Amino acid sequence: MFKDVTLGQYFPGDSVIHRMDPRAKIIASILYIIAVFCARNIISFAALAASALLLILISRISMMTVLRGLKPILFILVFTALINIFLTRSTEEAPLWQANIPVFSWNWQPSIYREGILRAIFTALRVIVLIIGTSIFLTYTTSPITLTDAIEELLSPLKLLHVPVHDFAMMMTIALRFIPTLIEETEKIMNAQKARGADFSNGSLVQRAKALLPVLIPLFVSAFKRAGDLAIAMECRCYRGGEGRTKLHKLEYHFSDFLILFLVVAFMAGIFVINHYNPMGIGI
Amino acid sequence: MNLLELQDVSYVYSEGTPFEMVALHHVSVGFEKGSITGLIGHTGSGKSTLVQLLNGLLRPKQGKILLDGEDIWAKPKEIRKIRYRVGLVMQYPEYQLFDETVRLDIGYALRNMSLPAEEIAERVEEAAAFVHLDSHLLDQSPFALSGGQKRRAALAGVIAMRPQVLVLDEPAAGLDPIGRSEILGGLRKYQESFGGTVILVSHSMEDMAQYCDRIVAMNHSEVFMTGTVEEVFSHAQELSDIGLDIPSIARIALRLQAAGIPLQGSLYTVSGVREAYLRAIAEARQMKAPSEGGDRRV
């Protein structure tokens, strides 16, 4: 049941994006997110869509994988699209469609405006591009461990303010490291309880929630036990936080990192410029 | 007669993705009623997949699984009924314990079966006796038990269903010798008193020789060899080619035979080899006695 979720998964590879420095990737995806939210008209949205396609091609992640990664957000997409279509009101133009539905004494007038449809399409596109962009730059092409390394490096200035950056990074690493383990364990326990006649898919909501207890209790017990074991194992290897710790794999910027960052900045600037140039008058 | 039978069963994990992996490839094998069958094979040979297909935790991509001659997936909605008839104890089953007391935990499956309270109480006691779990432990929290006791409690939780077929994946892994023999001996007793069919996955060839009637050896997602313990272990070379082994005592017997000691009989358990050896000595004495007239030791 968890196997179909590709969002947030790492796919090892050797593309230009895979080889980027993880810090550069984080910065690039932040800039990319800003660009995505600044797009305002049809040309800049077209540029966004093109850039997302380009990113997929460069990273050599298969299109199917990326599309499957979008499945979990399908509900959000449809939901926001419907809200946008039905709740957007424009004062400047007449509605494309309007109905009169009497609800008790009040007359409900659902109406659809041209602007609402545009908003729906653009918002959906924005979310899709946002997800594709960030997952290509970060999760799909960066292993969780390098990612937390990069976060630690980027946040290291906060150490001056006595923020325990290293400890946070270590916590994140451990949490990420144990997600697959916990998923595997959940499946194992579910199977064991199914073998004893547990039924997770039928019955009322309350019944189904109750049926999960025999899974959650052993899962928590083993997670706590695992945490204790891990703490002991770390202490056995003299772990005592970040002070004086050196790294085997030091992060280093390369020329290509600066080049890609430059391209992303140029793209962002391009979006800003296009926003002011709207030949077709289609935009939000 | 085969109580449980696989007909041309294939199973593939993550079909249609880059992670696709064939776990079983056109496997046909039968498990005889009232027998204890050992399932051997090195890691990754498809044993665990096979075991999960037997009680419908996995659904075969191809082929049929017949229980008492009926396809277990004939009515997918009633697969739970099949799971009560084919009891599965997974590897390291301790993690499945969850309830307040051991008694409640063993009764979990029985409550799912909606049995009356008296019968549940009776079956829990019975199952605990089969796995040698002291009755004073029944009212403790399962999390307060030792590792071996947890294992027994988990086993009892499945045995209590009185399944027609009991499937166990490495039930004795990580236990001390006494725990091993008590649990595996309990299976023998279970099989004898209920006429149940037992399928036992294990890496210990000694346990296989001692407790099983028949053996199914798997290799590379396929059934490599089936037969009685004697038949399978007489192919020592083939077994070692697929990364398996014969019991150590059987290897000693082979060496003794090679050294000229004529051993005969069942040479796969310590007691069997001991008997054969004593017989061989006795025969050797009789041969020598008339010619030399004395009782010199051989």
Side-chain angles (χ1 to χ4, degrees):
Chain A
M1 66 186 287
F2 302 102
K3 289 200 179 85
D4 296 333
V5 180
T6 59
L7 192 65
Q9 206 180 335
Y10 167 56
F11 295 96
D14 191 33
S15 70
V16 179
I17 298 185
H18 280 91
R19 269 178 278 140
M20 261 175 94
D21 183 283
R23 290 169 296 180
K25 286 195 215 180
I26 293 178
I27 298 170
S29 47
I30 291 172
L31 295 177
Y32 192 75
I33 293 171
I34 295 173
V36 167
F37 277 103
C38 287
R40 303 192 63 81
N41 66 34
I42 189 160
I43 299 178
S44 46
F45 272 105
L48 279 189
S51 71
L53 282 177
L54 192 69
L55 279 176
I56 296 174
L57 288 180
I58 295 177
S59 70
R60 292 198 220 128
I61 304 274
S62 89
M63 194 62 99
M64 272 312 293
T65 313
V66 178
L67 289 182
R68 249 185 295 138
L70 290 174
K71 228 162 69 178
I73 59 154
L74 195 65
F75 172 75
I76 303 174
L77 287 180
V78 173
F79 187 73
T80 48
L82 287 178
I83 297 255
N84 270 319
I85 288 176
F86 286 102
L87 295 186
T88 307
R89 308 224 151 206
S90 166
T91 46
E92 288 158 24
E93 41 183 12
L96 298 173
W97 174 86
Q98 194 162 36
N100 283 312
I101 303 169
V103 182
F104 300 111
S105 58
W106 171 63
N107 197 16
W108 183 41
Q109 289 189 321
S111 43
I112 297 177
Y113 291 85
R114 181 171 161 276
E115 198 185 324
I117 293 175
L118 275 185
R119 257 182 207 282
I121 294 171
F122 284 156
T123 316
L125 196 64
R126 189 175 269 169
V127 175
I128 291 172
V129 171
L130 187 74
I131 298 280
I132 292 179
T134 47
S135 33
I136 291 281
F137 270 124
L138 298 176
T139 49
Y140 286 161
T141 61
T142 323
S143 77
I145 304 294
T146 32
L147 202 56
T148 40
D149 257 4
I151 292 173
E152 184 181 351
E153 288 278 315
L154 285 175
L155 293 182
S156 58
L158 290 179
K159 276 184 195 157
L160 296 176
L161 302 171
H162 298 289
V163 179
V165 174
H166 171 80
D167 301 65
F168 283 135
M170 182 54 88
M171 278 194 266
M172 242 175 91
T173 312
I174 293 173
L176 287 170
R177 157 67 186 76
F178 280 100
I179 288 173
T181 314
L182 285 178
I183 289 178
E184 203 177 288
E185 189 131 323
T186 313
E187 287 192 334
K188 219 170 69 175
I189 297 172
M190 279 179 111
N191 274 341
Q193 308 302 27
K194 271 195 214 160
R196 295 205 282 165
D199 188 358
F200 302 115
S201 41
N202 291 311
S204 68
L205 201 64
V206 179
Q207 275 171 331
R208 269 191 270 176
K210 266 192 180 164
L212 278 179
L213 267 188
V215 176
L216 292 179
I217 294 171
L219 193 63
F220 274 99
V221 169
S222 85
F224 278 112
K225 188 176 170 306
R226 209 188 287 282
D229 289 350
L230 183 67
I232 290 173
M234 284 168 82
E235 279 186 7
C236 283
R237 287 186 257 172
C238 304
Y239 177 80
R240 52 187 179 82
E243 243 166 90
R245 234 172 120 76
T246 54
K247 285 213 165 76
L248 179 60
H249 301 287
K250 262 209 157 321
L251 296 176
E252 267 175 81
Y253 286 111
H254 295 284
F255 174 69
S256 58
D257 296 324
F258 292 112
L259 188 68
I260 294 176
L261 275 181
F262 173 77
L263 288 177
V264 175
V265 171
F267 175 72
M268 194 170 74
I271 295 279
F272 284 134
V273 174
I274 296 170
N275 275 339
H276 293 285
Y277 169 76
N278 193 353
M280 281 173 267
I282 301 173
I284 50 175
Chain B
M1 199 198 96
N2 286 336
L3 180 61
L4 191 58
E5 196 175 342
L6 272 75
Q7 287 181 347
D8 195 32
V9 169
S10 296
Y11 193 83
V12 186
Y13 284 103
S14 310
E15 205 169 7
T17 71
F19 306 104
E20 183 172 305
M21 196 190 77
V22 177
L24 284 183
H25 190 66
H26 298 289
V27 166
S28 295
V29 66
F31 298 97
E32 244 172 79
K33 194 168 186 165
S35 69
I36 299 191
T37 306
L39 193 57
I40 56 176
H42 61 88
T43 318
S45 59
K47 288 174 307 199
S48 291
T49 308
L50 182 77
V51 157
Q52 290 183 51
L53 282 161
L54 292 177
N55 79 333
L57 280 179
L58 297 177
R59 189 170 182 168
K61 304 280 166 180
Q62 193 205 331
K64 270 187 195 167
I65 297 163
L66 305 178
L67 177 62
D68 245 345
E70 282 169 49
D71 186 354
I72 64 169
W73 286 100
K75 290 178 195 149
K77 293 225 157 141
E78 298 189 4
I79 193 68
R80 277 171 73 195
K81 286 191 181 147
I82 299 294
R83 292 186 187 143
Y84 298 134
R85 292 169 65 194
V86 183
L88 170 63
V89 182
M90 312 262 262
Q91 221 166 2
Y92 296 102
E94 299 77 288
Y95 59 77
Q96 71 182 31
L97 301 172
F98 72 96
D99 225 324
E100 275 169 63
T101 66
V102 176
R103 192 185 296 278
L104 283 172
D105 200 283
I106 298 177
Y108 173 65
L110 307 178
R111 292 197 297 282
N112 284 333
M113 290 162 89
S114 326
L115 293 177
E118 308 85 62
E119 197 180 346
I120 291 181
E122 183 195 320
R123 285 201 191 189
V124 167
E125 298 275 347
E126 175 198 277
F130 268 120
V131 295
H132 296 268
L133 193 67
D134 288 342
S135 52
H136 76 269
L137 294 173
L138 286 180
D139 294 308
Q140 290 194 8
S141 159
F143 300 111
L145 302 184
S146 74
Q149 290 164 340
K150 278 186 193 166
R151 177 76 55 87
R152 285 154 204 248
L155 268 161
V158 174
I159 288 181
M161 302 191 297
R162 286 188 193 155
Q164 283 175 285
V165 184
L166 183 60
V167 188
L168 303 112
D169 196 349
E170 290 272 8
L175 292 187
D176 58 67
I178 296 175
R180 278 188 100 79
S181 64
E182 276 184 1
I183 284 186
L184 295 173
L187 293 181
R188 247 296 171 222
K189 238 179 21 195
Y190 172 81
Q191 179 250 352
E192 278 159 8
S193 45
F194 283 112
T197 306
V198 178
I199 298 167
L200 184 65
V201 178
S202 175
H203 281 115
S204 158
M205 301 300 146
E206 279 76 20
D207 289 349
M208 287 289 156
Q210 196 170 348
Y211 297 103
C212 297
D213 305 312
R214 297 182 61 81
I215 288 184
V216 173
M218 305 215 23
N219 186 36
H220 290 312
S221 319
E222 287 174 2
V223 170
F224 179 73
M225 201 189 280
T226 60
T228 61
V229 172
E230 280 82 10
E231 282 164 9
V232 171
F233 283 149
S234 62
H235 295 87
Q237 187 56 48
E238 281 109 311
L239 286 178
S240 84
D241 285 346
I242 63 165
L244 294 175
D245 207 350
I246 58 173
S248 320
I249 191 70
R251 249 180 300 146
I252 293 175
L254 282 180
R255 287 273 189 87
L256 287 172
Q257 280 175 327
I261 298 173
L263 298 180
Q264 264 159 16
S266 167
L267 301 177
Y268 307 99
T269 58
V270 175
S271 57
V273 172
R274 185 169 159 268
E275 268 170 43
Y277 186 67
L278 290 177
R279 246 194 335 264
I281 291 176
E283 276 168 26
R285 268 186 203 159
Q286 273 177 6
M287 301 253 287
K288 290 208 170 176
S291 61
E292 301 200 9
D295 63 345
R296 271 179 54 200
R297 303 201 138 210
V298 178

